[in-house]
Every structure is written in C-alpha cells, then in structure tokens.
Amino acid sequence: MASVVLVGSQWGDEGKGKVVDRYAERADWVVRYQGGNNAGHTLVVDGDKTVLHLVPSGILHPNVKCAIGNGVVVDAQILEDELGMLADKGVITEGRLFVSYGAHLILPYHKRLDLAREALRGVDKIGTTGRGIGPAYEDKIARRGVRVADLADRDRVDGLVRQRLKELNAILAVHNAPDHRPFTEAEIVEIVDRHVELGQRLRPYFSNVADRLFRGVEAGERILFEGAQGVLLDIDHGTYPYVTSSNTVSSNAATGTGLGFHHLTSVIGVMKAYTTRVGRGPFPTELSDETGEVLRKAGNEFGATTGRPRRCGWLDLVALRYAVRVAGIRQLVVTKLDVLGGLPELPVCVAYELDGRRMTEYPDNVHDLHRVKPVYEKMPGFEEIGAVRRFEDLPAAARDYLRFIADALGVTIALVSVGPGRGEDLELVDPFA
Ligand code: IMP
C-alpha cells in the first residue's frame, strides 16, 4: 500500500500540476483535498496546454480515477465548464471522476463578497484570486454552507440560500458599490434554479469519496493526493493573514478526504528552483529590480488563474526548512531549474537577519517576516539545461545547487523538472517505491 501526498512547499505555483501528471501513470487515484478553483494547474502534453482549476491533474491519464474530496470547495459552474473543456479534448470523465457529497459549494454570493471585501480593504487587501474561496470556507465553518449533497433537494437549497442572503445582503448593502450590491429576488431564484439544474447534470459524478478511497486502499490501490497552493499559504501555518482559507499542509489530505492519517504513507514537497508569490504578504527574498523581471520573463511567471504577474525572488532556504517541517516533507521535487540557466550567479538565502541577530529558522512571530533581511550565499550559475535528461549530465554547478538544497533541508531530491512538457525532467527516486 502506498499513498503519496504532494504539497507545494512555497507560496503555490511550484508546478505541481506537471508533477502530478508525471506520477499519475503510477497511481490508481489522483485526489484533491483542499482549495478550489483558486488553483491553476498547467499541463502540457505533446505541446497541447491544459489548465485545470478544479478537476485533479490525473484526469489526462485514462486509467486513473480522480476524486474531489470533502475538503475542497466546489464552484459547480466551473466544474461543469471544466468537464466540457475536457470533453472537447476527447477526455472521458464520467465513471472516472468522483465528487464528494460532503464538499461545500462556492456560490455567486461568495465571489461577490470576496471582491467586495478586497475592495473595502484597499491597500490592505490580501490579493485573493476573487473566486469566493474565503467566504465559502467561512460558511462551512459557521455551519451555514450548502453542500453537494444538498443539491438534490430544491427546497433545501432555496432555504439555505435565502437564510444566508438575509444577512449577506445587509452586509453588501453597507459596501454600497455597483459591482457589489445586494442580490435581488430574481437573482436569488436564478442562483437556486441554476444550481439545482447543475446538480442534476453533475449527479453522475457525485459520490461517497471517503468510502471509495477506503475500499481502494483496502484493495491495494495507490493514491496520489494533489495539494493546491503551498505550505506558506496554509491558514494555520502560513504567512497569516496573507494566506488562503484552507489547510494546505499534508495532514489535511486525511481530513479533506475522509481517510485516516495512517493511510498517508509519504509526503513529497514540490519547490521551484527560485521563489514566487502572487497576492500580497511578506516575501523576504523578493527581487524588485531587473533580475526579478528576468526571472518573471524566463519562467513565464504569470498566474494560471488570474493572469497576475507573480512576484519573483531568490530561493529561500529558511522558508523551505519551515515548510519541510510543518508538512512532514521527506522528498522534494525541484521544478523550473532550467529557468535559472544562463544566470551568472545564484544567491540562495541561508538565513535571515533581524535586529542584528542571525536566524536560520522562521521567526516565531510571523509579523517579523516583514522586517527580516535575507543573508545570501552565492552559488555559481550554470548554462542552459533544458535538453538534459539524466542527473549525471547536468553541469556540475547545477548538481551542486541541488545538493546544497538537499543538504540544507535534510531531504532527498526525487525529481528535477527542466521544462514544462511531459518527460522534460530527470527522475532520481520513484515516489511509490
Ligand atoms: P484566495 O485563495 O483566493 O482566498 O487567495 C488568498 C491568497 O492565496 C492570495 O495571495 C492568492 O494569490 C493566493 N493563492 C490562492 N490560490 C493560489 C494558487 O493556486 N497559487 C498561488 N497563490 C494562490
């Protein structure tokens, strides 16, 4: 029995979609356990690009089953659109994709509230994706959410939506902006009707995911859990309040699907060979100069979900050491190493300095992250490596860069990605072995 949890170990956008696609051929299941369509996982197969926001990245492998666990927040309209896009590409999803009855729905008022709150925060905004993620999770925790299981009953959906909008409409009225106005009666009816209809059309996908996965595990099937976002965006362990609204760490793979924690056998962290972040929040190694621009262009660092330019910076081993610890990462996948090819030298942040004190661990108080200064160790650069397919064929400086990371973090490197396409990588360890 082997199940692997794949988590982003920075602020998301580490290239997890490609890695899931790489490992999916060895798995029976690929399962999402948190987040929603704030994620954007890009897959390139034979030059054809597919961007998935909600459907697990294993879907392009015909023999793999996919599941969306109870911990995910589901925008049913986005799900239907994504399934339509996949059908247009000839991908069969029915009978292969299972969506938990326990997953909470993102409804149009969650999106409106997300955008209204961001507008109200002004310069203090979080920089959310505007997809309604936070408000949907709020309703879940406050025990007033609408779940997939509710869609079969129009009266129930109608009651839940109206109950919620009684309060929300009053809040939206306070915002008093044309884009964020309260919902009218006609809009309420439309939301209810549309979601009941979506529920009918999507019904073949709805399932008891926990039970299916449990039976799968009992039968010796291999599960790959596909984390979204990254450890530093975790609601509890990330750079709060500049985080997403779910637990992105590996342990949530159990809660977010209904399996026991002993079913999670290993954790692989995915890290980019440098650092990026979208949205606001502290970022000690950020490069606000032309070098940041060089990385953004070379790495095509624009959000797959919102198209926003990503903030770019050097590798931060202090942050990674923290992520490795809280997510229980034993193996790492390093992505986009090719993007660094051609740079004369590669500064790596090995410590922070705060008020004249050097520290190699994340600060106890997350607010200090705004004040820390990175301490760099400079590694020599290496030439283009996009065509390399074996670790031994990497230039010595690239191998040194990887060894330096592995030694500093006490992990094994399982895979190195040197391009966006399938096969553009070098595998060192089989994660399911
Ligand atoms: P939310 O998840 O839309 O509420 O956004 C909260 C924060 O998480 C913002 O800084 C977003 O930019 C960030 N975020 C959410 N999803 C992703 C992702 O998939 N990749 C990178 N950042 C993300």
Side-chain angles (χ1 to χ4, degrees), residues 29-32 54-56 59 65-76 79-80 82-83 93-105 147-149 151 198-199 201-210 212-213 256-257:
W29 287 93
V30 175
V31 182
R32 286 267 319 258
L54 193 52
V55 174
I59 203 73
K65 289 170 280 189
C66 291
I68 294 178
N70 54 277
V72 176
V73 281
V74 174
D75 185 324
L79 179 60
E80 185 176 61
E82 213 158 87
L83 294 174
T93 52
E94 212 176 308
R96 293 182 52 218
L97 172 69
F98 303 94
V99 180
S100 170
Y101 282 117
H104 279 250
L105 296 176
R147 306 205 290 175
V148 163
L151 288 175
L198 277 165
R201 291 198 294 275
L202 293 170
R203 199 166 52 191
Y205 295 95
F206 299 159
S207 180
N208 182 341
V209 164
R212 276 186 189 271
L213 292 179
T257 58

Side-chain angles (χ1 to χ4, degrees), residues 11-13 38-40 126-130 133 229 233 243-244 278-279 308:
W11 280 290
D13 305 317
N38 47 349
I126 306 285
T128 73
T129 58
I133 305 296
Q229 293 85 46
L233 287 171
V243 290
T244 191
V278 252
R308 289 180 289 178

